[in-house]
Amino acid sequence: MKIIINIQRYNPDIDTASYFQKYDVEAEPTERLLDALMQIKRFQDGSLGFRKSCAHGVCGSDAMRINGKDGLACKTLIKDVAQKDGDTVTVEPLHHLPVQRDLIVDQKDFFDKYRFIKPYLINDEEVEGKERQQTQEERMAFDDTTNCILCAACYSACPVLDKKPDFVGPAAIAQAYRFIADSRDRALDERLELLDNKTGVWPCENHFKCTQACPRSILITKRINQTKSLIKKHRR
Ligand code: SF4
Ligand code: FES
């Protein structure tokens, strides 16, 4: 099938503004968009910049905006974004993060916000036996959140970040909840306090765009709302 891939380009060394460039690509409907991008880079235009590593939805490096929706190029099949010969697939870098080159964004803000929520277990108590145990039920309270690959698709999809760039964002809150709900963690008050402010959980307006964008099916909006409820409960 012959399709057109329309890619946002920007090279800081020579361009004053971004622009779109079209490439004609021959691709099978069952191939992934990442295959098409690699085909362009290998055989048409070696200057095209994008990140990728695992090619299997695990590393989170090839998140981008595809026909207006955020997702992973390696988990997007051509047939899901182009149905017939001549269809165009528009590919842009993630929103809310500065573009470094073409589809490559500077992830610093995203990871700074992730580090801010202290994404590690806090527990100074002596370990009884070899490990800190928890029941299956205790683990299931936050199981989905452990699947995060920090791809930032949710961060790009969040409409709140259009108007409030300081908002900590959906991934950071979902990862805060991952430890808030962990029966082995002992920093609940500190974690809730970090998010009880105008850049924490409260700007979230429940648009559900993060949940829809997440390639790992994490219940992000639900986890944000559970965090809000816990903050209210702990304030009293
Ligand atoms: S929550 Fe989902 S969309 Fe957001 S960074 Fe993690 S895996 Fe990516
Ligand atoms: S290349 Fe690793 S998630 Fe797509």
Side-chain angles (χ1 to χ4, degrees):
M1 158 179 183
K2 285 184 170 49
I3 58 167
I4 298 156
I5 308 217
N6 189 26
I7 304 177
Q8 183 177 313
R9 303 291 314 268
Y10 173 68
N11 178 345
D13 295 334
I14 52 176
D15 299 325
T16 51
S18 64
Y19 62 95
F20 279 88
Q21 185 167 0
K22 290 183 176 166
Y23 298 90
D24 293 321
V25 174
E26 182 83 43
E28 293 297 324
T30 49
E31 277 186 295
R32 304 159 306 173
L33 177 64
L34 181 62
D35 298 317
L37 293 177
M38 286 165 64
Q39 194 189 126
I40 293 169
K41 185 159 178 80
R42 281 179 185 153
F43 302 111
Q44 290 193 45
D45 187 347
S47 73
L48 178 64
F50 58 90
R51 286 196 185 101
K52 59 110 184 150
S53 181
C54 71
H56 286 88
V58 178
C59 72
S61 60
D62 65 338
M64 51 190 74
R65 190 163 274 204
I66 305 155
N67 283 350
K69 290 187 177 166
D70 300 283
L72 301 174
C74 68
K75 280 193 80 177
T76 302
L77 297 181
I78 296 295
K79 66 179 180 182
D80 294 333
V81 287
Q83 281 71 47
K84 57 184 187 317
D85 277 344
D87 276 0
T88 298
V89 182
T90 300
V91 185
E92 301 162 80
L94 293 179
H95 286 198
H96 306 136
L97 294 168
V99 176
Q100 288 180 319
R101 179 183 173 128
D102 297 336
L103 301 173
I104 301 169
V105 292
D106 182 350
Q107 299 164 306
K108 183 178 182 305
D109 281 358
F110 176 74
F111 280 105
D112 281 351
K113 289 171 177 177
Y114 172 60
R115 287 187 198 98
F116 170 77
I117 59 90
K118 304 194 178 198
Y120 41 84
L121 192 87
I122 299 175
N123 187 338
D124 293 333
E125 295 168 9
E126 285 290 314
V127 180
E128 281 180 38
K130 287 186 180 165
E131 56 197 9
R132 300 183 200 281
Q133 296 186 339
Q134 64 185 171
T135 64
Q136 286 184 7
E137 288 72 26
E138 285 169 339
R139 163 72 188 208
M140 290 314 289
F142 61 90
D143 190 61
D144 60 304
T145 59
T146 65
N147 292 325
C148 181
I149 53 173
L150 297 171
C151 68
C154 58
Y155 193 86
S156 175
C158 175
V160 171
L161 281 156
D162 291 343
K163 48 193 177 182
K164 293 181 181 159
D166 288 343
F167 174 42
V168 70
I173 302 174
Q175 287 314 296
Y177 187 83
R178 182 246 170 278
F179 293 99
I180 285 167
D182 192 325
S183 58
R184 301 163 299 182
D185 195 82
R186 295 290 176 269
L188 180 63
D189 290 344
E190 181 185 351
R191 295 188 185 284
L192 296 180
E193 202 173 316
L194 279 177
L195 294 171
D196 184 12
N197 52 62
K198 61 181 180 2
T199 58
V201 288
W202 303 115
C204 172
E205 297 167 348
N206 280 352
H207 290 279
F208 279 86
K209 296 287 183 191
C210 54
T211 305
Q212 288 159 9
C214 180
R216 306 290 293 198
S217 304
I218 296 171
L219 306 170
I220 310 174
T221 313
K222 179 176 178 179
R223 300 313 184 196
I224 294 173
N225 288 337
Q226 286 174 308
T227 307
K228 286 179 175 175
S229 299
L230 278 168
I231 289 173
K232 284 185 191 162
K233 196 170 143 196
H234 277 252
R235 272 189 193 155
R236 292 190 198 116

